[in-house]
Amino acid sequence: MRTTLELPDTLVREAMERTNISTKTEVIKTALENLIQREKVKELADYFGKIDLGIDIEEMRKR
């Protein structure tokens, strides 16, 4: 999809330098993928302690 964006040159330049990515398109795609991944991890953290897997750790240790 083609989109016109106004991005701060310094922000894009620094992202490209720090990641060694040579194109603006690729640095934006990488940034979006990282943002999505971070949000997915946050969603998973919300499940911590809420799912009962029916596992008895003491019983498993006896094996």
Side-chain angles (χ1 to χ4, degrees):
M1 149 185 1
R2 273 194 183 274
T3 304
T4 302
L5 302 171
E6 289 189 31
L7 302 170
D9 288 334
T10 54
L11 193 61
V12 174
R13 193 176 320 116
E14 182 176 358
M16 291 174 73
E17 289 171 0
R18 290 183 178 270
T19 60
N20 293 319
I21 296 174
S22 59
T23 67
K24 292 176 184 177
T25 299
E26 195 59 35
V27 82
I28 298 301
K29 285 179 10 183
T30 301
L32 289 171
E33 289 167 354
N34 288 336
L35 178 64
I36 291 166
Q37 181 66 26
R38 187 177 71 197
E39 293 304 313
K40 285 181 179 181
V41 168
K42 282 183 190 176
E43 289 173 15
L44 283 176
D46 290 341
Y47 288 106
F48 183 75
K50 295 181 181 175
I51 298 174
D52 181 15
L53 300 176
I55 297 172
D56 183 354
I57 193 72
E58 294 303 322
E59 186 63 31
M60 292 180 76
R61 288 180 178 153
K62 292 178 186 177
R63 292 184 184 177

